Amino acid sequence: MLKKQINKVSCKVIRLLCILFVMSHSLYAENTQIVLGGKEGWPSFDYANGVTTGTGRYGYECIELATNSFIYDEMTDLLIDFENPSSPVSAGAYDIVSNNLRVSTDAVMEKGAGLSRNIGGLSVLGKPGAFFGTEGLLGSFSFEFWLCPSIAENGEVIIKWESSKNVRGRLIYQLMNCIFEGGHLDWTLSNFFDNYKNEYGNNEINLKGTSNIIPDKWSYHVLSYDCETGLLEYLVNGVTEDLVYVTSTGDAVGEIAFIVLGTPSELQFCSEYTGKVDDIRIMRRPYSPPEYQSAEYAGTLRRLIYSPTGGRFETKPIRVSTGAILNSLTAVDSIPSQTDVCYFVRSGDNFYNWTDSYPAWKPVENGEAITGVKGLYFQVACNLYPDGNGEKSPSVTTIELDFSELPLPLPPFTVKAEAGNGCVVLNWKYSVDDTAGGYYIYYGSRPGEYLGRIAVEGESPIKIGNQTSFKVTGLENGKIYYFAIAAWSVLDDRITGPLSKEVFARPLDRLKK
C-alpha cells in the first residue's frame, strides 16, 4: 500500500516538473516576427512555378498566378513573349535585326505584348542550328502566335520569310507568307518542301482560314507540320481551319515530302500590320494542345487565363535561432470567389539533406495557432488556385511568421585564469542569468581565436556542467593560452550565449599546480 502511494507521489512530481519546464520555457521565450513581402518586397524563392508578381494590397508587390504563357523547353526553337521591353526575344538562337514594335500592357499572355503600327515590325535572323538558321533538311515544326488586329485589312502581312535554295545547279525561290485576306489569314508556302507537286504541278501550298478574325479581339493561330505523317494544317483557337497532306498522293498514304530550306535569311513578323501580337513561338514538333484545352473551342476563343493546376512558391529556408518555435503564420492575401490559397510550413536544424518531401510539409491556416514546428530553420510554401473558369487569381501580399526564441544566457562577468605546470585553472562567478544551465570553455593560442585542440579535456569549446571552477590540462609549458567562457541554456544546451571577457595564462614547468 505504501509502495503504491509512493509511486503516485512520484508520478505527480514528474508531471509537476514537466509543467514547470513548459512554463519556464514560455516564461523565458521571446516572441519575434519575420515579414516576407510588403514594404521590403519578396526575397528570391527556392522554388516557384506558375506564379508571378503583381500589385497587391496597399500598392505593395504581391505574388499571384502567372497567365498561361508559353514556356521554353528543349523543343522550343524560338520564343518571343515581349516580357522584357529591351529584348522581346525570350529564348532561341536568333538575333534581332530590326524592331519597330512597341510593348503594350494589353497582353493576352502575361504582362507584355507587341504593338505594331505598320512601320516595319520585328525581324530576326536565325543562328546556325536554329530552324530558320539552318540550310538543308529539317523535320516537324509548329508556328504559334496570338493576334489582336486593329483593322484586319486585306494584304496586312503577319509573317514573311524569303530565301532561295540550290536545286541541281538552279536557284529556286522560297517563301513562307501569312497575310490577311477577306477577314481571315491565308498561308502560302512556295518551294518549302522537297520533291512535292500540287494538283497544278507546282511546289506551292495554300492554306486558307475560314473564321473571321475580329478586330480588337485576341485569337490563337498555329501552322503545324508533322514529318511522320506529312500533315500540314492551320488552326485557329485550337480548331483546324485548313489542311493538306504534303505527300506524293496528297493523302495520308503517299510518300512524305520533307522540308529543305535554303540560305538562312530574315524572318519578319508584322512588317505590314496594325494591331497587337503576343507570344510568338516556333516548336520543333507538331502542334499539341495543352491538357486543359478541349473540344469546347468550337471555333471560339475558350482559353483559360490561368492553368487549373494553379501555382506554387517555396521560400528559401529562413534561419532563425536554435530551438525557435513557430507560433503562427499570418498572411495578407486576396482570395476572390472560387479561388483558394493554401499555406504550408516545415522546419529543422539544418537544410542540407532536405528534399521536396522531407521534412514533410505541414498545412497551416492563415492566422491560426501552429504546433509542432521547431528548429533553426523555417521554410514556407504556398499553393494558389484559380477559379473553375481560369479567369480569377488569388494573391499574397505579405506573410508574417510569429515565433518564440529562447533567450541567450549571459556569460559570467568575472573570470580568472591561473597558470600551472602544463595546465590552467579557471575560476568564475555564476552567471546572473537564471537560464544558464552550464558553461562552455573556449581556448586557443591567439587572442580571440579559440581553436585549441591540445587539452586532455577535449577540443575547444569544452562543455562542463553548472560549476565555477575547472582545470584545463595537457597544455604546452611556455606557451600562452587565451580563454573565454559562455553559458549554455538550461532549456536547450545547443543555445549558447555570448562570450565573457577574455583572460590568458602561460603554463610553466616551474609552477606547482
Side-chain angles (χ1 to χ4, degrees):
M1 186 70 178
L2 179 61
K3 185 176 181 180
K4 288 184 178 179
Q5 290 178 342
I6 292 173
N7 287 339
K8 287 182 179 179
V9 171
S10 299
C11 289
K12 289 181 179 179
V13 169
I14 292 172
R15 284 198 295 269
L16 179 61
L17 289 173
C18 291
I19 292 171
L20 289 174
F21 179 81
V22 172
M23 289 178 63
S24 65
H25 186 284
S26 302
L27 180 64
Y28 293 128
E30 299 174 351
N31 275 17
T32 308
Q33 290 78 36
I34 290 177
V35 177
L36 306 173
K39 185 184 298 184
E40 301 301 323
W42 288 89
S44 59
F45 293 134
D46 199 41
Y47 170 84
N49 181 47
V51 296
T52 186
T53 57
T55 302
R57 297 278 187 87
Y58 321 118
Y60 296 143
E61 182 182 73
C62 72
I63 306 300
E64 61 187 16
L65 290 174
T67 54
N68 269 317
S69 60
F70 292 148
I71 298 174
Y72 180 83
D73 59 24
E74 67 277 4
M75 300 301 291
T76 306
D77 183 68
L78 172 65
L79 176 59
I80 303 175
D81 60 10
F82 303 98
E83 296 307 306
N84 182 355
S86 63
S87 178
V89 177
S90 175
Y94 288 80
D95 290 323
I96 296 176
V97 178
S98 63
N99 181 18
N100 294 297
L101 300 182
R102 289 189 175 181
V103 174
S104 170
T105 56
D106 182 16
V108 67
M109 305 291 271
E110 293 195 80
K111 298 180 180 180
L115 176 62
S116 175
R117 298 163 294 161
N118 200 9
I119 56 172
L122 170 67
S123 295
V124 298
L125 182 63
K127 300 177 182 178
F131 194 94
F132 284 95
T134 302
E135 186 173 359
L137 183 66
L138 294 168
S140 301
F141 75 91
S142 61
F143 213 128
E144 311 170 42
F145 56 90
W146 288 86
L147 209 62
C148 182
S150 295
I151 53 177
E153 186 176 7
N154 286 350
E156 287 191 303
V157 180
I158 306 303
I159 293 170
K160 190 170 187 178
W161 178 81
E162 296 177 288
S163 183
S164 61
K165 62 180 177 181
N166 191 313
V167 178
R168 293 182 289 275
R170 284 193 313 123
L171 285 179
I172 304 296
Y173 173 71
Q174 287 186 296
L175 170 71
M176 172 188 277
N177 202 29
C178 176
I179 65 172
F180 270 102
E181 189 65 41
H184 51 255
L185 291 185
D186 285 357
W187 292 83
T188 299
L189 289 85
S190 295
N191 299 311
F192 207 74
F193 296 89
D194 201 29
N195 297 323
Y196 169 76
K197 298 291 184 182
N198 62 21
E199 58 183 322
Y200 303 108
N202 59 54
N203 194 323
E204 182 171 291
I205 298 173
N206 293 285
L207 296 175
K208 296 182 178 294
T210 57
S211 298
N212 286 330
I213 308 305
I214 302 172
D216 297 322
K217 185 175 181 179
W218 285 102
S219 54
Y220 176 45
H221 302 261
V222 180
L223 180 69
S224 172
Y225 175 68
D226 187 342
C227 68
E228 294 185 2
T229 63
L231 177 62
L232 177 70
E233 60 180 330
Y234 168 49
L235 305 93
V236 178
N237 296 333
V239 177
T240 300
E241 300 267 301
D242 198 3
L243 62 84
V244 63
Y245 281 94
V246 191
T247 64
S248 57
T249 59
D251 55 34
V253 299
E255 183 180 347
I256 298 170
F258 294 101
I259 299 171
V260 178
L261 298 188
T263 304
S265 61
E266 293 181 25
L267 182 60
Q268 302 174 25
F269 302 101
C270 307
S271 57
E272 299 175 39
Y273 166 69
T274 302
K276 296 185 287 291
V277 62
D278 202 359
D279 274 26
I280 303 167
R281 182 171 69 162
I282 301 174
M283 301 292 291
R284 289 181 174 271
R285 58 163 174 74
Y287 169 73
S288 58
E291 293 180 1
Y292 57 83
Q293 292 178 345
S294 68
E296 292 184 46
Y297 268 111
T300 61
L301 182 61
R302 294 184 58 83
R303 184 185 67 90
L304 297 178
I305 297 175
Y306 304 109
S307 169
T309 57
R312 178 181 175 91
F313 67 86
E314 299 173 5
T315 68
K316 293 182 182 297
I318 303 166
R319 183 183 175 98
V320 281
S321 62
T322 302
I325 298 174
L326 185 59
N327 300 319
S328 65
L329 178 154
T330 304
V332 175
D333 54 24
S334 174
I335 307 178
S337 174
Q338 302 178 41
T339 69
D340 208 352
V341 176
C342 299
Y343 298 97
F344 305 85
V345 295
R346 62 180 179 177
S347 62
D349 289 328
N350 69 69
F351 61 87
Y352 301 108
N353 61 343
W354 287 11
T355 65
D356 292 342
S357 57
Y358 175 83
W361 289 99
K362 180 183 179 72
V364 297
E365 296 295 328
N366 185 2
E368 295 188 8
I370 297 173
T371 59
V373 179
K374 174 184 178 181
L376 178 60
Y377 294 93
F378 296 150
Q379 190 175 20
V380 179
C382 179
N383 288 349
L384 293 87
Y385 299 101
D387 66 315
N389 289 326
E391 297 174 349
K392 300 176 184 177
S393 169
S395 64
V396 180
T397 301
T398 63
I399 293 178
E400 180 179 295
L401 302 178
D402 181 271
F403 57 97
S404 300
E405 290 186 297
L406 301 181
L408 302 179
L410 296 173
F413 290 146
T414 303
V415 181
K416 294 181 180 179
E418 184 178 356
N421 184 3
C423 65
V424 171
V425 177
L426 297 167
N427 291 282
W428 62 91
K429 292 185 178 181
Y430 283 114
S431 170
V432 297
D433 194 334
D434 54 5
T435 66
Y439 300 92
Y440 282 108
I441 295 176
Y442 293 79
Y443 71 96
S445 57
R446 293 174 62 86
E449 294 184 5
Y450 308 114
L451 307 176
R453 304 176 58 140
I454 194 174
V456 172
E457 292 72 23
E459 297 179 1
S460 175
I462 303 169
K463 182 183 178 182
I464 63 173
N466 196 13
Q467 59 196 68
T468 59
S469 181
F470 193 81
K471 180 187 285 189
V472 182
T473 63
L475 304 180
E476 183 180 340
N477 284 329
K479 190 173 184 178
I480 191 170
Y481 292 90
Y482 298 85
F483 301 87
I485 297 177
W488 49 264
S489 174
V490 68
L491 303 174
D492 191 324
D493 61 5
R494 296 171 301 171
I495 299 175
T496 306
L499 296 174
S500 68
K501 182 180 179 180
E502 185 177 79
V503 293
F504 61 88
R506 189 190 305 273
L508 297 170
D509 54 7
R510 62 180 174 82
L511 298 175
K512 294 183 179 181
K513 282 191 176 181

